[in-house]
Coordinates of all heavy atoms in Angstrom, one line a residue:
A23 N 3.1 16.3 -0.9 CA 3.4 15.3 0.1 C 4.6 15.8 1.0 O 5.6 16.4 0.4 CB 3.7 14.0 -0.5
R24 N 4.6 15.6 2.2 CA 5.7 15.9 3.1 C 6.8 14.9 2.8 O 6.6 13.8 2.3 CB 5.3 15.8 4.6 CG 4.3 16.8 5.0 CD 4.0 16.7 6.5 NE 4.2 15.4 7.1 CZ 3.1 14.6 7.4 NH1 1.9 15.0 7.1 NH2 3.3 13.5 8.0
S25 N 8.1 15.3 3.0 CA 9.2 14.5 2.7 C 9.1 13.1 3.4 O 9.6 12.1 2.9 CB 10.5 15.2 2.9 OG 10.6 15.5 4.3
D26 N 8.5 13.1 4.6 CA 8.5 11.9 5.4 C 7.3 11.0 4.9 O 7.2 9.8 5.3 CB 8.3 12.1 6.9 CG 7.1 12.9 7.3 OD1 6.6 13.6 6.4 OD2 6.8 12.9 8.4
D27 N 6.5 11.5 4.0 CA 5.5 10.7 3.3 C 6.0 10.1 2.0 O 5.3 9.4 1.3 CB 4.2 11.5 3.0 CG 3.5 11.9 4.2 OD1 3.6 11.2 5.2 OD2 2.7 12.9 4.1
M28 N 7.2 10.4 1.6 CA 7.8 9.9 0.4 C 8.6 8.7 0.6 O 9.4 8.6 1.5 CB 8.7 11.0 -0.2 CG 9.0 10.9 -1.7 SD 7.6 10.9 -2.8 CE 7.0 12.5 -2.6
I29 N 8.3 7.7 -0.2 CA 9.0 6.4 -0.2 C 9.8 6.4 -1.5 O 9.3 6.6 -2.6 CB 8.0 5.2 -0.2 CG1 7.1 5.3 1.1 CG2 8.8 3.9 -0.2 CD1 5.9 4.5 1.0
V30 N 11.1 6.1 -1.4 CA 12.0 6.0 -2.5 C 12.3 4.5 -2.7 O 13.0 3.9 -1.9 CB 13.3 6.9 -2.4 CG1 14.2 6.7 -3.6 CG2 13.0 8.3 -2.1
S31 N 11.8 4.0 -3.8 CA 11.9 2.6 -4.1 C 12.5 2.4 -5.5 O 11.9 2.9 -6.5 CB 10.6 1.9 -4.0 OG 10.7 0.5 -4.2
S32 N 13.7 1.8 -5.6 CA 14.4 1.6 -6.9 C 14.5 2.9 -7.6 O 14.4 3.0 -8.8 CB 13.7 0.6 -7.7 OG 13.7 -0.7 -7.1
G33 N 14.7 4.0 -6.9 CA 14.9 5.3 -7.5 C 13.6 6.1 -7.8 O 13.6 7.2 -8.3
Y34 N 12.4 5.4 -7.6 CA 11.1 6.1 -7.8 C 10.7 6.7 -6.5 O 10.8 6.1 -5.5 CB 10.1 5.0 -8.2 CG 10.2 4.5 -9.6 CD1 10.7 3.2 -9.8 CD2 9.9 5.2 -10.7 CE1 10.8 2.6 -11.1 CE2 10.0 4.6 -12.0 CZ 10.5 3.4 -12.2 OH 10.6 2.8 -13.4
N35 N 10.2 7.9 -6.7 CA 9.6 8.6 -5.5 C 8.1 8.2 -5.5 O 7.4 8.5 -6.5 CB 9.7 10.1 -5.6 CG 11.1 10.6 -5.4 OD1 11.9 10.0 -4.7 ND2 11.5 11.6 -6.1
I36 N 7.6 7.7 -4.4 CA 6.3 7.2 -4.3 C 5.7 7.9 -3.0 O 6.2 7.7 -1.9 CB 6.2 5.7 -4.1 CG1 6.8 5.0 -5.3 CG2 4.7 5.2 -4.0 CD1 7.1 3.5 -5.2
A37 N 4.6 8.7 -3.2 CA 3.9 9.3 -2.1 C 3.0 8.4 -1.4 O 2.1 7.9 -2.0 CB 3.2 10.6 -2.6
A38 N 3.2 8.2 -0.1 CA 2.4 7.3 0.7 C 0.9 7.6 0.6 O 0.1 6.8 0.4 CB 2.9 7.2 2.1
P39 N 0.6 8.9 0.8 CA -0.9 9.3 0.7 C -1.5 8.9 -0.6 O -2.7 8.6 -0.6 CB -0.9 10.8 0.9 CG 0.4 11.1 1.7 CD 1.4 10.1 1.1
E40 N -0.8 9.0 -1.7 CA -1.4 8.6 -3.0 C -1.7 7.1 -3.0 O -2.8 6.7 -3.5 CB -0.4 8.9 -4.1 CG -0.9 8.6 -5.5 CD 0.1 8.9 -6.6 OE1 1.3 9.0 -6.3 OE2 -0.3 9.0 -7.8
V41 N -0.9 6.3 -2.5 CA -1.2 4.9 -2.4 C -2.3 4.6 -1.4 O -3.2 3.8 -1.7 CB 0.1 4.1 -2.0 CG1 -0.2 2.6 -2.0 CG2 1.2 4.3 -3.0
E42 N -2.3 5.3 -0.3 CA -3.4 5.1 0.6 C -4.8 5.5 0.0 O -5.8 4.8 0.1 CB -3.2 6.0 1.9 CG -2.1 5.5 2.7 CD -1.7 6.5 3.8 OE1 -2.2 7.7 3.8 OE2 -0.8 6.2 4.6
N43 N -4.8 6.6 -0.7 CA -6.0 7.1 -1.4 C -6.5 6.0 -2.4 O -7.7 5.8 -2.5 CB -5.9 8.4 -2.1 CG -5.7 9.5 -1.1 OD1 -6.2 9.4 0.1 ND2 -5.1 10.6 -1.5
A44 N -5.6 5.4 -3.2 CA -5.9 4.4 -4.1 C -6.5 3.2 -3.4 O -7.5 2.6 -3.9 CB -4.7 4.0 -5.0
L45 N -5.9 2.8 -2.3 CA -6.4 1.6 -1.6 C -7.8 1.9 -1.0 O -8.7 1.0 -1.0 CB -5.4 1.2 -0.4 CG -4.2 0.5 -0.9 CD1 -3.1 0.5 0.3 CD2 -4.4 -0.9 -1.3
L46 N -8.0 3.1 -0.5 CA -9.3 3.4 0.1 C -10.4 3.5 -0.9 O -11.6 3.4 -0.6 CB -9.2 4.8 0.8 CG -8.4 4.7 2.1 CD1 -8.1 6.1 2.6 CD2 -9.1 3.9 3.2
M47 N -10.1 3.6 -2.2 CA -11.1 3.5 -3.3 C -11.6 2.1 -3.5 O -12.7 1.9 -4.1 CB -10.5 4.1 -4.6 CG -10.3 5.6 -4.6 SD -9.3 6.1 -6.0 CE -10.4 5.7 -7.3
H48 N -11.0 1.1 -2.9 CA -11.4 -0.3 -3.1 C -12.4 -0.6 -2.0 O -12.2 -0.3 -0.8 CB -10.2 -1.2 -3.0 CG -10.5 -2.6 -3.4 ND1 -11.2 -3.5 -2.7 CD2 -10.1 -3.3 -4.5 CE1 -11.3 -4.6 -3.3 NE2 -10.6 -4.5 -4.4
H49 N -13.5 -1.2 -2.4 CA -14.7 -1.5 -1.5 C -14.3 -2.3 -0.3 O -15.0 -2.3 0.7 CB -15.8 -2.1 -2.3 CG -15.5 -3.5 -2.8 ND1 -15.7 -4.6 -2.1 CD2 -14.9 -3.8 -4.0 CE1 -15.3 -5.7 -2.8 NE2 -14.8 -5.2 -4.0
A50 N -13.2 -3.1 -0.4 CA -12.9 -4.1 0.6 C -12.0 -3.4 1.7 O -11.6 -4.1 2.7 CB -12.2 -5.3 0.0
V51 N -11.6 -2.1 1.5 CA -10.7 -1.5 2.5 C -11.4 -0.5 3.4 O -12.0 0.5 2.9 CB -9.5 -0.8 1.7 CG1 -8.6 0.0 2.7 CG2 -8.7 -1.8 0.9
A52 N -11.4 -0.7 4.7 CA -12.0 0.2 5.6 C -11.1 1.3 6.0 O -11.4 2.5 6.0 CB -12.5 -0.5 6.9
E53 N -9.8 1.0 6.3 CA -8.8 1.9 6.6 C -7.5 1.4 6.1 O -7.3 0.1 6.0 CB -8.7 2.1 8.1 CG -9.8 2.9 8.8 CD -9.5 3.1 10.2 OE1 -9.6 2.2 11.0 OE2 -9.0 4.2 10.6
C54 N -6.5 2.2 6.0 CA -5.1 1.7 5.6 C -4.1 2.8 6.0 O -4.4 4.0 6.2 CB -5.0 1.4 4.1 SG -5.2 2.8 3.0
A55 N -2.9 2.3 6.1 CA -1.7 3.2 6.3 C -0.6 2.6 5.5 O -0.4 1.4 5.4 CB -1.3 3.2 7.8
V56 N 0.1 3.5 4.8 CA 1.2 3.0 3.9 C 2.5 3.6 4.4 O 2.6 4.8 4.7 CB 0.9 3.4 2.4 CG1 2.1 3.2 1.5 CG2 -0.3 2.7 1.9
V57 N 3.5 2.8 4.4 CA 4.9 3.2 4.9 C 5.9 2.6 4.0 O 5.7 1.7 3.2 CB 5.1 2.8 6.4 CG1 4.1 3.4 7.3 CG2 5.1 1.2 6.5
G58 N 7.1 3.1 4.2 CA 8.3 2.5 3.5 C 8.9 1.5 4.4 O 9.0 1.7 5.6
A59 N 9.2 0.3 3.9 CA 9.9 -0.7 4.6 C 11.2 -1.0 4.0 O 11.3 -1.0 2.7 CB 9.0 -2.0 4.6
P60 N 12.3 -1.2 4.8 CA 13.6 -1.4 4.2 C 13.6 -2.7 3.3 O 12.9 -3.7 3.6 CB 14.5 -1.7 5.5 CG 13.7 -1.1 6.6 CD 12.3 -1.2 6.2
D61 N 14.3 -2.6 2.2 CA 14.5 -3.7 1.3 C 15.9 -3.7 0.7 O 16.4 -2.7 0.3 CB 13.4 -3.6 0.2 CG 13.5 -4.7 -0.8 OD1 13.0 -5.8 -0.5 OD2 14.1 -4.5 -1.9
A62 N 16.5 -4.9 0.8 CA 17.9 -5.0 0.3 C 18.1 -4.7 -1.1 O 19.1 -4.1 -1.5 CB 18.4 -6.5 0.6
D63 N 17.1 -5.0 -2.0 CA 17.3 -4.8 -3.4 C 16.8 -3.4 -3.9 O 17.5 -2.8 -4.7 CB 16.5 -5.8 -4.2 CG 17.0 -7.2 -4.1 OD1 18.3 -7.4 -3.9 OD2 16.2 -8.2 -4.1
R64 N 15.8 -2.9 -3.3 CA 15.2 -1.6 -3.7 C 15.4 -0.4 -2.8 O 15.0 0.7 -3.1 CB 13.6 -1.8 -3.9 CG 13.3 -2.8 -5.0 CD 11.8 -3.0 -5.1 NE 11.4 -3.6 -6.3 CZ 11.4 -5.0 -6.4 NH1 11.8 -5.7 -5.4 NH2 11.1 -5.5 -7.6
G65 N 16.1 -0.7 -1.7 CA 16.3 0.4 -0.7 C 15.1 0.5 0.2 O 15.2 0.2 1.4
M66 N 13.9 0.7 -0.3 CA 12.7 0.7 0.4 C 11.6 0.1 -0.5 O 11.7 0.1 -1.7 CB 12.2 2.1 0.7 CG 13.1 2.9 1.6 SD 13.0 2.4 3.4 CE 11.7 3.5 3.9
I67 N 10.6 -0.5 0.1 CA 9.4 -1.0 -0.6 C 8.2 -0.3 0.0 O 8.2 0.1 1.2 CB 9.3 -2.5 -0.6 CG1 9.2 -3.1 0.8 CG2 10.4 -3.1 -1.5 CD1 8.8 -4.5 0.9
V68 N 7.1 -0.3 -0.7 CA 5.8 0.2 -0.2 C 5.2 -1.0 0.6 O 5.1 -2.1 0.1 CB 4.9 0.6 -1.4 CG1 3.5 1.0 -0.9 CG2 5.5 1.7 -2.2
K69 N 4.9 -0.7 1.8 CA 4.2 -1.7 2.7 C 2.9 -1.0 3.1 O 2.8 0.1 3.6 CB 5.0 -2.1 3.9 CG 4.3 -3.1 4.8 CD 5.2 -3.7 5.8 CE 4.4 -4.7 6.6 NZ 5.2 -5.4 7.6
A70 N 1.8 -1.8 3.0 CA 0.5 -1.3 3.4 C 0.0 -2.1 4.6 O 0.1 -3.3 4.7 CB -0.5 -1.5 2.3
Y71 N -0.6 -1.4 5.6 CA -1.3 -2.0 6.7 C -2.8 -1.7 6.4 O -3.2 -0.6 6.3 CB -0.9 -1.4 8.0 CG 0.5 -1.7 8.4 CD1 1.6 -0.9 8.1 CD2 0.8 -2.9 9.2 CE1 2.9 -1.2 8.4 CE2 2.1 -3.2 9.5 CZ 3.1 -2.4 9.1 OH 4.4 -2.7 9.4
I72 N -3.6 -2.8 6.3 CA -4.9 -2.7 5.8 C -5.9 -3.2 6.8 O -5.7 -4.4 7.3 CB -5.1 -3.4 4.5 CG1 -4.2 -2.7 3.4 CG2 -6.5 -3.4 4.0 CD1 -3.9 -3.6 2.2
V73 N -7.0 -2.4 7.1 CA -8.1 -2.9 7.9 C -9.2 -3.3 6.9 O -9.8 -2.4 6.3 CB -8.6 -1.8 8.9 CG1 -9.8 -2.4 9.7 CG2 -7.5 -1.4 9.8
P74 N -9.4 -4.6 6.7 CA -10.4 -5.0 5.7 C -11.8 -4.7 6.2 O -12.1 -4.8 7.4 CB -10.3 -6.5 5.6 CG -9.0 -6.9 6.4 CD -8.7 -5.7 7.3
A75 N -12.7 -4.2 5.3 CA -14.1 -3.9 5.6 C -14.8 -5.1 6.2 O -15.6 -4.9 7.1 CB -14.8 -3.4 4.3
S76 N -14.5 -6.3 5.7 CA -15.1 -7.5 6.2 C -14.5 -8.0 7.5 O -15.0 -8.9 8.1 CB -15.0 -8.6 5.2 OG -13.6 -9.0 5.1
G77 N -13.4 -7.4 7.9 CA -12.7 -7.9 9.1 C -11.7 -9.0 8.8 O -10.9 -9.4 9.6
Q78 N -11.8 -9.5 7.5 CA -10.9 -10.7 7.1 C -10.1 -10.3 5.9 O -10.7 -9.7 5.0 CB -11.8 -11.9 6.9 CG -12.5 -12.4 8.1 CD -11.6 -13.0 9.2 OE1 -10.6 -13.7 8.9 NE2 -11.9 -12.6 10.4
G79 N -8.9 -10.7 5.9 CA -8.1 -10.5 4.7 C -7.3 -11.8 4.3 O -7.0 -12.6 5.2
D80 N -7.1 -12.1 3.0 CA -6.4 -13.3 2.6 C -5.6 -12.9 1.4 O -5.5 -11.8 1.0 CB -7.4 -14.4 2.4 CG -8.4 -14.1 1.3 OD1 -8.2 -13.2 0.5 OD2 -9.5 -14.8 1.3
S81 N -4.9 -14.0 0.9 CA -3.9 -13.7 -0.2 C -4.7 -13.3 -1.5 O -4.2 -12.5 -2.2 CB -3.1 -15.0 -0.5 OG -3.9 -16.1 -0.8
A82 N -5.9 -13.8 -1.7 CA -6.7 -13.3 -2.8 C -7.0 -11.9 -2.7 O -6.9 -11.1 -3.7 CB -7.9 -14.2 -3.0
L83 N -7.4 -11.4 -1.6 CA -7.7 -10.0 -1.4 C -6.4 -9.1 -1.6 O -6.4 -8.1 -2.2 CB -8.3 -9.7 0.0 CG -8.6 -8.2 0.3 CD1 -9.5 -7.6 -0.8 CD2 -9.2 -8.1 1.7
A84 N -5.3 -9.6 -1.0 CA -4.0 -8.9 -1.2 C -3.7 -8.7 -2.6 O -3.3 -7.6 -3.1 CB -2.9 -9.7 -0.5
R85 N -3.8 -9.8 -3.5 CA -3.6 -9.7 -4.9 C -4.5 -8.7 -5.6 O -4.1 -7.9 -6.4 CB -3.6 -11.0 -5.6 CG -2.4 -11.9 -5.4 CD -2.4 -13.1 -6.3 NE -3.6 -14.0 -6.0 CZ -3.7 -14.9 -5.1 NH1 -2.7 -15.1 -4.2 NH2 -4.7 -15.6 -4.9
S86 N -5.8 -8.8 -5.2 CA -6.8 -7.9 -5.7 C -6.4 -6.4 -5.4 O -6.6 -5.5 -6.3 CB -8.2 -8.2 -5.2 OG -9.1 -7.3 -5.6
L87 N -6.0 -6.1 -4.2 CA -5.6 -4.8 -3.8 C -4.4 -4.3 -4.6 O -4.3 -3.2 -5.0 CB -5.4 -4.7 -2.3 CG -6.7 -4.9 -1.5 CD1 -6.3 -4.9 0.0 CD2 -7.7 -3.8 -1.8
Q88 N -3.4 -5.2 -4.8 CA -2.2 -4.8 -5.5 C -2.6 -4.5 -7.0 O -2.2 -3.5 -7.5 CB -1.2 -6.0 -5.5 CG -0.5 -6.2 -4.2 CD 0.4 -7.4 -4.2 OE1 0.1 -8.4 -4.8 NE2 1.5 -7.2 -3.4
D89 N -3.4 -5.3 -7.6 CA -3.9 -5.1 -9.0 C -4.7 -3.7 -9.0 O -4.5 -3.0 -10.0 CB -4.7 -6.2 -9.5 CG -3.9 -7.5 -9.7 OD1 -2.7 -7.4 -9.8 OD2 -4.5 -8.6 -9.8
H90 N -5.5 -3.5 -8.0 CA -6.3 -2.2 -8.0 C -5.4 -1.0 -8.0 O -5.6 -0.1 -8.7 CB -7.2 -2.3 -6.8 CG -7.9 -1.0 -6.5 ND1 -9.0 -0.6 -7.3 CD2 -7.7 0.0 -5.6 CE1 -9.4 0.6 -6.9 NE2 -8.6 1.0 -5.9
V91 N -4.3 -1.0 -7.1 CA -3.4 0.1 -7.1 C -2.6 0.2 -8.4 O -2.5 1.4 -8.9 CB -2.4 -0.1 -5.9 CG1 -1.3 1.0 -5.9 CG2 -3.1 0.0 -4.6
K92 N -2.2 -0.9 -9.0 CA -1.5 -0.8 -10.3 C -2.4 -0.1 -11.3 O -1.9 0.7 -12.1 CB -1.1 -2.2 -10.8 CG 0.0 -2.9 -10.0 CD 0.2 -4.3 -10.5 CE 1.2 -5.1 -9.6 NZ 1.3 -6.4 -10.1
A93 N -3.6 -0.5 -11.4 CA -4.6 0.1 -12.4 C -5.0 1.5 -12.1 O -5.3 2.3 -13.0 CB -5.8 -0.8 -12.5
T94 N -5.0 1.9 -10.8 CA -5.5 3.2 -10.4 C -4.5 4.3 -10.5 O -4.8 5.4 -11.0 CB -6.1 3.1 -8.9 OG1 -7.1 2.1 -8.9 CG2 -6.7 4.4 -8.5
I95 N -3.3 4.0 -10.0 CA -2.2 5.0 -10.1 C -1.1 4.7 -11.0 O -1.0 5.3 -12.0 CB -1.8 5.5 -8.7 CG1 -1.4 4.3 -7.8 CG2 -2.8 6.4 -8.0 CD1 -0.9 4.7 -6.4
A96 N -0.3 3.7 -10.6 CA 0.8 3.3 -11.5 C 1.4 2.0 -11.0 O 1.4 1.7 -9.9 CB 2.0 4.3 -11.5
P97 N 1.8 1.1 -12.0 CA 2.2 -0.2 -11.6 C 3.3 -0.3 -10.6 O 3.4 -1.1 -9.7 CB 2.6 -0.8 -13.0 CG 1.8 -0.1 -14.0 CD 1.7 1.3 -13.4
Y98 N 4.3 0.7 -10.7 CA 5.4 0.6 -9.8 C 5.1 1.1 -8.4 O 5.9 0.9 -7.5 CB 6.6 1.4 -10.3 CG 6.4 2.9 -10.4 CD1 6.8 3.7 -9.3 CD2 5.9 3.5 -11.5 CE1 6.6 5.1 -9.3 CE2 5.7 4.9 -11.6 CZ 6.1 5.7 -10.5 OH 5.9 7.0 -10.5
K99 N 3.9 1.6 -8.1 CA 3.6 2.1 -6.8 C 2.8 1.2 -5.9 O 2.5 1.5 -4.8 CB 2.7 3.4 -7.0 CG 3.5 4.5 -7.7 CD 2.6 5.8 -7.8 CE 3.4 6.9 -8.5 NZ 2.6 8.2 -8.5
Y100 N 2.6 0.0 -6.4 CA 1.7 -1.0 -5.6 C 2.5 -1.5 -4.4 O 3.7 -1.5 -4.4 CB 1.3 -2.1 -6.5 CG 2.3 -3.2 -6.7 CD1 2.3 -4.4 -5.9 CD2 3.2 -3.2 -7.7 CE1 3.2 -5.4 -6.1 CE2 4.2 -4.2 -7.9 CZ 4.1 -5.3 -7.1 OH 5.1 -6.3 -7.3
P101 N 1.7 -1.8 -3.3 CA 2.4 -2.3 -2.1 C 3.0 -3.7 -2.4 O 2.3 -4.6 -2.8 CB 1.3 -2.4 -1.1 CG 0.2 -1.6 -1.6 CD 0.3 -1.6 -3.1
R102 N 4.3 -3.8 -2.2 CA 4.9 -5.1 -2.4 C 4.8 -6.0 -1.2 O 5.1 -7.2 -1.2 CB 6.4 -4.9 -2.8 CG 6.5 -4.3 -4.2 CD 8.0 -4.0 -4.6 NE 8.0 -3.4 -5.9 CZ 8.0 -4.0 -7.0 NH1 8.0 -5.3 -7.1 NH2 8.0 -3.4 -8.2
A103 N 4.5 -5.3 0.0 CA 4.3 -6.1 1.2 C 3.0 -5.5 1.8 O 2.7 -4.3 1.6 CB 5.5 -5.9 2.2
G104 N 2.3 -6.3 2.5 CA 1.1 -5.9 3.2 C 0.8 -6.7 4.4 O 1.3 -7.9 4.5
E105 N 0.0 -6.2 5.2 CA -0.4 -6.9 6.4 C -1.9 -6.4 6.7 O -2.2 -5.3 6.7 CB 0.5 -6.4 7.6 CG 0.4 -7.3 8.8 CD 1.5 -6.9 9.8 OE1 2.7 -6.7 9.4 OE2 1.2 -6.9 11.0
F106 N -2.7 -7.5 7.0 CA -4.1 -7.2 7.4 C -4.1 -7.1 8.9 O -3.6 -7.9 9.6 CB -5.0 -8.3 6.9 CG -5.2 -8.3 5.4 CD1 -4.6 -9.3 4.6 CD2 -5.9 -7.3 4.7 CE1 -4.7 -9.3 3.3 CE2 -6.0 -7.3 3.3 CZ -5.4 -8.3 2.6
V107 N -4.7 -6.0 9.4 CA -4.7 -5.7 10.8 C -6.2 -5.4 11.2 O -7.0 -5.0 10.4 CB -3.8 -4.5 11.2 CG1 -2.3 -4.9 10.9 CG2 -4.1 -3.3 10.4
P108 N -6.5 -5.7 12.5 CA -7.9 -5.4 13.0 C -8.2 -3.9 13.1 O -9.3 -3.5 13.0 CB -8.0 -6.2 14.3 CG -6.5 -6.4 14.7 CD -5.7 -6.4 13.5
A109 N -7.1 -3.1 13.4 CA -7.3 -1.7 13.6 C -5.9 -1.0 13.4 O -4.9 -1.7 13.5 CB -7.8 -1.4 14.9
L110 N -6.0 0.3 13.0 CA -4.7 1.1 12.9 C -4.5 1.8 14.3 O -5.5 2.2 14.9 CB -4.9 2.1 11.8 CG -5.0 1.6 10.4 CD1 -5.2 2.8 9.4 CD2 -3.8 0.7 10.0
P111 N -3.2 1.9 14.6 CA -3.0 2.7 15.9 C -3.4 4.2 15.7 O -3.2 4.7 14.6 CB -1.5 2.6 16.1 CG -0.9 2.0 14.8 CD -2.1 1.5 14.0
K112 N -4.0 4.7 16.7 CA -4.5 6.1 16.6 C -3.7 7.0 17.5 O -3.3 6.6 18.6 CB -6.0 6.2 16.9 CG -6.9 5.3 16.0 CD -7.1 6.0 14.7 CE -8.2 5.3 13.9 NZ -7.8 4.8 12.7

């Protein structure tokens, strides 16, 4: 991972592409982008911008995606913030 793809959260190095790949393995995710967002307690947190396959996202889907990432890669790498968007900027 390039250094700008690395999110340092509470001292953990988290590669954005690794989180994106885990999210893309979920059937409800069409596209996603993962970035570091400033956080007072952790320095940075993992934030995901998600284009839902159905076009709709809600809090239940957000929780399901968080649980999916925890189970797929590692519990500390899950997106602590997320936003459902209609499309990603290209």
